Amino acid sequence: MDNKIIARPLSVEEFAPFGEVIEKEGAEQFSINEGLCTRFHDLATIEFSGPSAKPLLSVFSSKPCPLPLELKMVERHPLGSQAFIPFLGAPFLVIVAPDQAGTPGRPLAFVTAKGQGINFRKNTWHGVLSPLQEPAEFMVIDRGGEGDNLEEYKFNDPYFVTV
Amino acid sequence: MDNKIIARPLSVEEFAPFGEVIEKEGAEQFSINEGLCTRFHDLATIEFSGPSAKPLLSVFSSKPCPLPLELKMVERHPLGSQAFIPFLGAPFLVIVAPDQAGTPGRPLAFVTAKGQGINFRKNTWHGVLSPLQEPAEFMVIDRGGEGDNLEEYKFNDPYFVTV
């Protein structure tokens, strides 16, 4: 088995099956506050379903991941999307996998450009937050409420991800 | 009429009638991703009501406001909260006013500490985004959907706000 994965630059098109790229470029924008401010509007589709579901705003403060990243597992959230936006805009690694009849297929890896964030669609297999440098603080918008919103899948053999 | 307002340092207690201070300090936190990451959990109450209501994630890019700030009007959003989190954490000015039988009373002004964001509760009178320095980019979480979510109030005489 080829267990090496090389991350590609994140692109809106390639990432579309898995989620959205959060960025000002290409966004609907309009001027507000008597011209003092530009609003880059509605950059992600925030999904939340199930009993007592609500959107949550949180901050993740992470250590960077050493490369190559040993990818032993992926996870998904069947009840909600999950958005990650880096405070300082630093590039980070984004790992996703297509679903194949309930289990993840071969993962894909992307590296964000400076300033980009991402939003995983509901029920998308993905690796955990993987910053490439410090400090690595992210604003996170995901789903709170009752119900089991976490499914994990451990690979028999790990993948190794490089940039 | 005393039309001068001096901003005070933002405090959780003083701001509580108007909204929430978004910060890691004092937040519920727990370790995730095998200890690599700390989650500062559920930092703001995201409110959205009315037909087809949904939370929106947007970015505001604003010019700084010259001081003293001439406060000619305040606004409120009857159908949703509005959160502002500065990407680079720079302090900004936060202006609010208590409601007095449907119109705003005398405004109060606060200056955030580095790294703080704020979340205006639904239907809270407030001034528009007022950064104090450049660059001034903010993540904004507010409410989308049908219905009139904006009420503005123009003061007969402006206030002047300093820090």
Side-chain angles (χ1 to χ4, degrees), chain B residues 81-146:
Chain B
S81 58
Q82 194 173 38
F84 295 90
I85 304 108
F87 274 97
L88 299 182
F92 61 105
L93 193 57
V94 179
I95 297 170
V96 289
D99 184 66
Q100 294 179 344
T103 59
R106 181 178 169 83
L108 291 83
F110 300 97
V111 180
T112 62
K114 186 165 171 54
Q116 290 178 326
I118 60 99
N119 187 37
F120 294 124
R121 286 188 212 299
K122 187 167 74 173
N123 218 26
T124 298
W125 293 111
H126 63 271
V128 301
L129 182 62
S130 305
L132 295 170
Q133 51 191 263
E134 290 189 281
E137 296 221 323
F138 292 76
M139 185 144 344
V140 178
I141 300 166
D142 58 7
R143 181 259 185 206
E146 296 168 44

Side-chain angles (χ1 to χ4, degrees), chain B:
Chain B
M1 183 185 86
D2 178 10
N3 66 351
K4 288 182 190 159
I5 295 171
I6 299 173
R8 291 195 298 271
L10 181 64
S11 84
V12 172
E13 293 73 21
E14 283 189 280
F15 193 62
F18 309 102
E20 298 158 301
V21 178
I22 297 171
E23 60 185 347
K24 293 185 295 181
E25 192 181 321
E28 180 187 357
Q29 56 180 273
F30 39 91
S31 179
I32 60 173
N33 300 353
E34 297 186 326
L36 285 176
C37 186
T38 301
R39 179 178 176 126
F40 299 89
H41 184 68
D42 195 8
L43 304 179
T45 306
I46 300 170
E47 300 169 299
F48 48 101
S49 58
S52 68
K54 64 172 185 171
L56 292 181
L57 169 63
S58 303
V59 168
F60 282 20
S61 181
S62 181
K63 290 179 183 151
C65 58
L67 295 179
L69 180 149
E70 185 181 6
L71 182 69
K72 294 182 280 189
M73 56 85 72
V74 288
E75 64 184 35
R76 61 179 178 179
H77 308 296
L79 300 177
S81 58
Q82 194 173 38
F84 295 90
I85 304 108
F87 274 97
L88 299 182
F92 61 105
L93 193 57
V94 179
I95 297 170
V96 289
D99 184 66
Q100 294 179 344
T103 59
R106 181 178 169 83
L108 291 83
F110 300 97
V111 180
T112 62
K114 186 165 171 54
Q116 290 178 326
I118 60 99
N119 187 37
F120 294 124
R121 286 188 212 299
K122 187 167 74 173
N123 218 26
T124 298
W125 293 111
H126 63 271
V128 301
L129 182 62
S130 305
L132 295 170
Q133 51 191 263
E134 290 189 281
E137 296 221 323
F138 292 76
M139 185 144 344
V140 178
I141 300 166
D142 58 7
R143 181 259 185 206
E146 296 168 44
D148 186 0
N149 191 27
L150 177 63
E151 186 179 353
E152 291 178 320
Y153 184 90
K154 288 186 173 36
F155 296 113
N156 288 329
D157 297 300
Y159 293 92
F160 291 89
V161 183
T162 56
V163 299

Side-chain angles (χ1 to χ4, degrees), chain A residues 11-84:
Chain A
S11 83
V12 171
E13 293 71 22
E14 282 189 280
F15 193 62
F18 309 102
E20 297 159 301
V21 178
I22 298 172
E23 60 185 347
K24 293 185 296 181
E25 191 181 321
E28 180 187 357
Q29 57 180 274
F30 40 90
S31 179
I32 59 173
N33 301 351
E34 297 186 327
L36 286 176
C37 186
T38 301
R39 179 177 178 128
F40 298 89
H41 184 69
D42 195 8
L43 304 179
T45 305
I46 301 171
E47 300 170 299
F48 48 101
S49 59
S52 69
K54 64 173 185 172
L56 291 181
L57 170 63
S58 302
V59 168
F60 283 18
S61 182
S62 180
K63 290 178 184 152
C65 59
L67 295 178
L69 180 149
E70 186 182 3
L71 182 69
K72 293 181 283 190
M73 55 86 71
V74 289
E75 62 184 36
R76 62 178 178 178
H77 308 296
L79 300 177
S81 58
Q82 193 172 38
F84 295 90

